[in-house]
Amino acid sequence: MSEEKKKKAMNRLKTMYPLRANIDQAYERSVEATKAGKPTAWSMVNWWEADPILKAMDIEIVYPENYGAVCAAIGSAQKYLDRSDAEGFPTHMCGYARNCIGYTAEMTELGHIPSDAPMGGMSNPILLLSSGALCDARIKWFQSLGRYLDAPVWTVELPHPGVEESQMPGVREKSIQFMVKELRELVAFLERLTGRKMDWAKLEEITDDLIEINRIWYEINEFRKVRPCPMHSRDFWSCMNASLYPAGDPKVSLKLYRDMYDEVKDRVANKIGAVENEKYRMVFGELPPWHALKIFDELAERGWNFVVESWAYHAPKPIDYAKISDPLERVATQTYQWLTGYFPDALKEKEYMGYFAYPYLEWARTYQCDGALFHPLLTCRTATNHLILAQDRLLNKLHVPSLIAEGDIVDLKLFDYADTMRKAVVLEEMMDHYKKVRQEEGFEW
Amino acid sequence: MALIMGMDIGSGTSKGVIVRNRKPIAYHLLPSGVDYRAVAQKLREELLAKAGLSIADIADTIATGHGAGNVAFSRHRVSDILCCARGITSIFPSVRTIIDVQRISTQVIRLNATGHVINFTINEKCATGSGCFLDIISHVLQIDLKDAGPLSLGSGNPVTFTTGCAVFGESEAISRVSEGASKEDILAGVHRALANKISTLVDRVGLEMDCAMSGGGGLNIGLVESVEKKLGFKLLVSEQPQFINAIGAAIMAENGVEMGGSLPEPGSTIIT
């Protein structure tokens, strides 16, 4: 297969490249900032709950989870994983955590950032900002870093109501009040830690920008419902971090997302697909094997276009924030909306399987998907425990078959490329069959 | 129709067939050993000699199985799951569910009326769900694997294995031997444990009759009977179930020609 033909199979968005660069450059910017005496925090993804506060206080932020993905994609993760294992941490622990702990152990031993660290590395933090959102490993991971780093850990909490409970009177209001109280405590803590005062006007501006970023990002992804889908999951993953973490300068990100909106809109108008011959429209379940992204090129050559991916990495359904004047309440409301935004629909369909699994049903239907590829992560229970349930629901309710390809986000030893392809070609046969079944039963696609 | 060679390079044994018009005209099997490339070459030579043919008589060779990528003289490899579907359908067109017991995995495959795959599931990454577990226990009992099935039929009190792990299962078998359990009872217990795992896989994809067993597991009468007892019906088993995937590989090539495309039918990947 010639290189020229491979490039044709997947048509990447041109506006993706500057957005990805904006994210990647955050690491080098933070290293430079640290050298200039500016504080840097290491932060987990907390779905906008705390990052706007740090940004408003002019604290540089880098993201160890994203850094795990970067190290895996570049092929540099193995030595950090090995180092974590050698330090006595379990091999079945979160791949992002293992990568981060191995990196930190090496940095601490050297007394400086490892010279071969991808993207310039992550510099010594003054704060470890943890999050109680979704994942148990994430709480203990940052505590474990206390063995190596002289930095306090702060955990922001997020209530996790069930589908039915979220709709009970007062649950939403009380949850948001709780989050706002938590955020006020975080502000007070940061003021003590840094000796700086919160710039409330700046926080308001950043919050407005992030809400707008997420609105545009949501609209971009709405465009992907058309045929052919104009944007592949590869582009989604390359760009999601400017919204999700959110990495990079929000003003710059906002401009770049607007550029992307224009490009995707133009593709829709001109019927330009992300894959030249879109044969199968696919859902991707969970995070991809960052170390083996070339598999998407091989699948694109077979006509697979990944048109939507896991709910957890998408922007929340837009709501009206105009009546909320307190920026902390706006932040909390947005995060809570992200967590519970799909619950009313799930409740209507009597699907109580929670925030992780239900959106697969809604999206497979609205994006008119032929199949799903699920990538359960051996080192992540949270990302994995719902996938078999989602697989059953997709097949039984929508006649959308799926494939489970086991692996890991960071540890390439846990992913079998050839075995995944062996099963993928069988899924094609299944998708052809169920397409006929859907047509016979009067489905729209 | 030209002659097609189908090769299934498995982790335990390598199988080769020569097919014409969906009918095998020659079979051959060798232990795979550790060098898939070498065994594929030797398998081809011995298969051709057995059939009284030369390389020039073979229009194409299609490979499947764990070591398919090492078959240097094959331009394509095909998924063993699709091969299994095609192979079984050529022998038992009425089959809708296949239990394929290989050395390193067991897979249950659902077919539609045209013999195409509509669902499949594979046992988790654990030897207790596959033929490998029988290898391990046969080694402990110091018997030949081919004797495991007939021996187990003489059991009067099958041992209950309390673990789902092959490593612990091996220890358990050693303990039972030292406690005086008979080989027959231990083997029957292993077959019952495997049948329980297989039954779970069948539940997962949903059973539709008829149901066949393929792969090396189909040669083990003790396993076949245990699965039949667990599921409550008779299985269809071909005379040479271990060759099903190799036959299926060759049939996929024939199908490709009939469909007017290049060899083989869609569902293959090119070996580069």
Side-chain angles (χ1 to χ4, degrees):
Chain A
M1 192 70 60
S2 71
E3 192 61 29
E4 188 186 356
K5 198 166 183 183
K6 276 184 181 172
K7 280 177 186 166
K8 273 186 182 173
M10 196 189 298
N11 186 8
R12 306 293 300 263
L13 290 169
K14 290 183 177 58
T15 48
M16 174 273 295
Y17 296 101
L19 240 170
R20 189 171 67 184
N22 179 45
I23 297 162
D24 292 346
Q25 286 158 9
Y27 292 98
E28 287 180 7
R29 280 199 300 265
S30 84
V31 171
E32 291 306 312
T34 305
K35 282 181 191 165
K38 203 172 158 186
T40 289
W42 289 8
S43 174
M44 291 175 175
V45 58
N46 49 68
W47 287 277
W48 319 285
E49 198 179 353
D51 293 77
I53 293 167
L54 269 63
K55 283 178 184 285
M57 296 184 76
D58 209 19
I59 299 170
E60 287 290 333
I61 317 169
V62 289
Y63 302 95
E65 289 156 312
N66 175 242
Y67 197 64
V70 166
C71 290
I74 290 175
S76 302
Q78 197 57 51
K79 75 169 186 173
Y80 298 136
L81 298 178
D82 291 345
R83 180 64 190 261
S84 170
D85 299 350
E87 295 282 310
F89 290 92
T91 54
H92 56 269
M93 194 171 69
C94 167
Y96 286 163
R98 289 169 65 208
N99 184 78
C100 175
I101 288 169
Y103 169 86
T104 308
E106 184 163 325
M107 180 175 77
T108 309
E109 186 175 275
L110 292 169
H112 56 78
I113 292 173
S115 57
D116 57 352
M119 304 286 176
M122 299 189 293
S123 56
N124 244 322
I126 62 149
L127 168 69
L128 298 165
L129 185 63
S130 166
S131 165
L134 306 180
C135 167
D136 44 4
R138 302 194 324 149
I139 297 171
K140 302 307 289 184
W141 159 15
F142 270 25
Q143 287 179 9
S144 304
L145 289 179
R147 296 187 191 182
Y148 307 97
L149 298 170
D150 184 20
V153 179
W154 186 276
T155 302
V156 284
E157 286 296 350
L158 170 63
H160 289 65
V163 171
E164 287 181 290
E165 293 81 359
S166 71
Q167 306 304 307
M168 290 175 176
V171 169
R172 174 188 168 84
E173 292 73 17
K174 282 186 179 167
S175 296
I176 291 173
Q177 280 168 18
F178 167 81
M179 292 164 73
V180 170
K181 182 170 169 285
E182 283 263 305
L183 294 180
R184 288 203 196 288
E185 288 176 8
L186 173 63
V187 170
F189 167 72
L190 290 174
E191 287 181 341
R192 288 198 302 276
L193 181 71
T194 63
R196 300 173 178 193
K197 298 301 286 181
M198 166 56 85
D199 184 340
W200 292 101
K202 191 173 176 184
L203 176 63
E204 202 165 330
E205 187 181 349
I206 288 170
T207 305
D208 287 349
D209 287 344
L210 289 178
I211 288 171
E212 181 62 3
I213 281 173
N214 281 338
R215 189 193 65 77
I216 293 173
W217 187 221
Y218 181 89
E219 293 299 328
I220 290 170
N221 283 285
E222 286 289 288
F223 279 134
R224 298 170 71 192
K225 290 177 177 170
V226 303
R227 288 177 187 265
C229 170
M231 176 178 153
H232 190 279
S233 292
R234 285 288 306 274
D235 284 339
F236 176 88
W237 292 319
S238 290
C239 299
M240 69 179 181
N241 294 329
S243 150
L244 178 66
Y245 281 101
D249 182 329
K251 292 269 183 235
V252 176
S253 298
L254 186 54
K255 193 257 175 207
L256 294 173
Y257 274 124
R258 282 179 175 143
D259 293 345
M260 178 172 277
Y261 179 93
D262 292 340
E263 184 184 6
V264 175
K265 189 178 176 186
D266 182 66
R267 279 193 177 190
V268 171
N270 292 291
K271 299 189 186 314
I272 299 169
V275 166
E276 200 166 60
N277 297 304
E278 179 182 285
K279 187 173 179 190
Y280 302 111
R281 293 171 64 84
M282 306 297 299
V283 185
F284 191 88
E286 261 320 302
L287 286 168
W290 296 114
H291 42 75
L293 292 171
K294 67 174 182 177
I295 199 166
F296 294 99
D297 294 311
E298 191 168 346
L299 292 171
E301 283 164 16
R302 302 180 71 91
W304 293 40
N305 197 359
F306 284 86
V307 302
V308 70
E309 21 335 85
S310 293
W311 148 89
Y313 312 107
H314 276 258
K317 281 186 174 181
I319 53 172
D320 184 10
Y321 297 89
K323 289 180 182 165
I324 307 169
S325 55
D326 178 0
L328 293 183
E329 192 179 335
R330 302 185 89 186
V331 167
T333 302
Q334 183 178 225
T335 303
Y336 191 76
Q337 168 66 6
W338 162 79
L339 182 71
T340 61
Y342 290 92
F343 283 10
D345 292 341
L347 200 57
K348 272 184 219 160
E349 292 195 32
K350 299 191 184 332
E351 289 289 359
Y352 306 118
M353 52 189 175
Y355 35 78
F356 266 111
Y358 170 73
Y360 288 120
L361 266 184
E362 183 169 324
W363 289 357
R365 186 166 46 223
T366 55
Y367 285 75
Q368 300 198 335
C369 293
D370 298 292
L373 178 57
F374 291 124
H375 182 228
L377 316 173
L378 183 68
T379 66
C380 182
R381 287 186 304 160
T382 312
T384 297
N385 57 18
H386 57 286
L387 292 180
I388 287 187
L389 184 62
Q391 187 176 41
D392 284 346
R393 287 291 200 281
L394 284 174
L395 189 63
N396 295 330
K397 288 191 100 169
L398 301 179
H399 303 304
V400 171
S402 55
L403 170 65
I404 286 187
E406 290 172 357
D408 192 56
I409 35 182
V410 181
D411 195 342
L412 62 86
K413 295 197 297 286
L414 300 173
F415 182 73
D416 188 335
Y417 190 106
D419 188 58
T420 302
M421 284 306 299
R422 160 187 169 244
K423 294 171 183 167
V425 295
V426 183
L427 181 61
E428 288 179 1
E429 192 159 301
M430 292 160 63
M431 290 191 288
D432 292 341
H433 167 80
Y434 282 106
K435 191 180 189 78
K436 288 178 195 159
V437 172
R438 288 194 305 273
Q439 285 166 353
E440 284 165 9
E441 295 197 7
F443 282 76
E444 286 178 23
W445 78 105
Chain B
M1 183 70 82
L3 293 170
I4 307 288
M5 185 180 287
M7 301 198 101
D8 175 12
I9 310 298
S11 67
T13 56
S14 292
K15 285 76 64 177
V17 294
I18 296 170
V19 167
R20 176 189 280 137
N21 290 332
R22 291 175 172 69
K23 301 290 179 203
I25 60 166
Y27 302 86
H28 194 52
L29 179 147
L30 290 173
S32 291
V34 294
D35 188 346
Y36 289 148
R37 189 172 287 262
V39 80
Q41 187 64 38
K42 190 175 175 202
L43 184 63
R44 176 166 75 158
E45 288 165 9
E46 293 184 5
L47 177 61
L48 287 169
K50 215 170 176 178
L53 297 167
S54 70
I55 291 171
D57 296 320
I58 305 297
D60 208 344
T61 300
I62 309 298
T64 188
H66 194 250
N70 297 279
V71 183
F73 47 87
S74 169
R75 289 187 297 118
H76 294 89
R77 65 167 168 247
V78 284
S79 167
D80 60 317
I81 300 166
L82 296 182
C83 290
C84 190
R86 303 297 185 272
I88 280 286
T89 302
S90 74
I91 298 168
F92 301 121
S94 63
V95 163
R96 299 290 176 270
T97 309
I98 308 170
I99 299 164
D100 182 25
V101 183
Q102 304 180 9
R103 185 174 188 276
I104 57 167
S105 65
T106 294
Q107 44 206 23
V108 177
I109 305 164
R110 274 288 312 277
L111 308 179
N112 63 12
T114 57
H116 289 90
V117 178
I118 61 170
N119 205 352
F120 70 97
T121 189
I122 302 174
N123 69 303
E124 72 273 27
K125 289 174 181 168
C126 174
T128 45
S130 68
C132 185
F133 191 35
L134 277 166
D135 267 353
I136 293 167
I137 301 300
S138 297
H139 180 73
V140 169
L141 300 179
Q142 299 179 333
I143 61 163
D144 196 315
L145 180 60
K146 70 176 169 28
D147 297 329
L151 262 177
S152 70
L153 297 181
S155 167
N157 183 25
V159 163
T160 300
F161 278 82
T162 58
T163 177
C165 165
V167 175
F168 293 138
E170 183 180 13
S171 303
E172 208 168 338
I174 292 167
S175 300
R176 297 295 89 81
V177 169
S178 62
E179 287 167 11
S182 69
K183 290 179 180 179
E184 289 82 355
D185 287 345
I186 291 171
L187 287 165
V190 171
H191 291 150
R192 196 157 68 176
L194 271 169
N196 288 338
K197 290 250 178 190
I198 288 168
S199 155
T200 307
L201 296 177
V202 170
D203 283 347
R204 173 124 186 84
V205 296
L207 173 72
E208 187 181 339
M209 297 297 277
D210 292 339
C211 181
M213 184 183 282
S214 68
L219 293 170
N220 183 324
I221 183 65
L223 177 63
V224 172
E225 288 197 3
S226 290
V227 174
E228 286 177 341
K229 192 173 175 190
K230 179 70 185 172
L231 295 176
F233 54 79
K234 294 291 283 182
L235 295 166
L236 296 173
V237 185
S238 69
E239 280 182 24
Q240 304 206 68
Q242 74 275 38
F243 285 97
I244 293 290
N245 291 2
I247 294 168
I251 288 174
M252 285 189 74
E254 289 191 336
N255 288 346
V257 173
E258 280 186 6
M259 290 161 69
S262 58
L263 292 173
E265 69 168 291
S268 68
T269 48
I270 295 168
I271 295 175
T272 51

